[in-house]
Amino acid sequence: LMLIVRIKAMCKRAGISRIDGGPKGATVQFHNDKFANPAGLVDFLKAQGPGAKVSGNKIVLLQEWKTEAERIKGAFAIARDLAEQVVKAKA
């Protein structure tokens, strides 16, 4: 439960309005379809490799998450990494 609260806090910091995780990965949508650090988002997507792409107004991250625990940890990692990119933009 505490990890869910931390994920929500990271999503708010990163400007994520919705993150959906499933067994094949996650989709991320941003508030008002904007990210505070577009260059940082490009860096994030490059770091994810070929499993990351932009589809319409969301990003799709392909991962293998077999358990619910892996999905929660993966969602936290995505939110944390995107929040770090926002912090870099403000620095």
Side-chain angles (χ1 to χ4, degrees):
L1 181 61
M2 287 302 294
L3 194 53
I4 301 297
V5 172
R6 289 176 63 196
I7 291 170
K8 286 185 176 190
M10 289 292 173
C11 285
K12 187 173 183 175
R13 189 176 305 157
I16 297 171
S17 64
R18 183 180 181 126
I19 184 167
D20 293 315
K24 294 183 180 180
T27 59
V28 179
Q29 289 181 287
F30 297 103
H31 183 68
N32 291 331
D33 297 330
K34 294 182 181 175
F35 187 66
N37 181 4
L41 181 59
V42 171
D43 291 342
F44 172 80
L45 292 172
K46 285 181 184 177
Q48 300 303 309
K53 62 182 177 178
V54 177
S55 177
N57 63 344
K58 57 188 164 188
I59 58 173
V60 178
L61 303 161
L62 301 177
Q63 301 280 333
E64 278 289 322
W65 294 330
K66 295 179 182 172
T67 66
E68 188 72 26
E70 287 177 340
R71 292 178 203 150
I72 292 170
K73 288 179 184 177
F76 177 77
I78 291 167
R80 180 197 62 220
D81 292 348
L82 288 169
E84 287 175 3
Q85 293 299 330
V86 172
V87 171
K88 286 180 184 178
K90 293 179 180 179

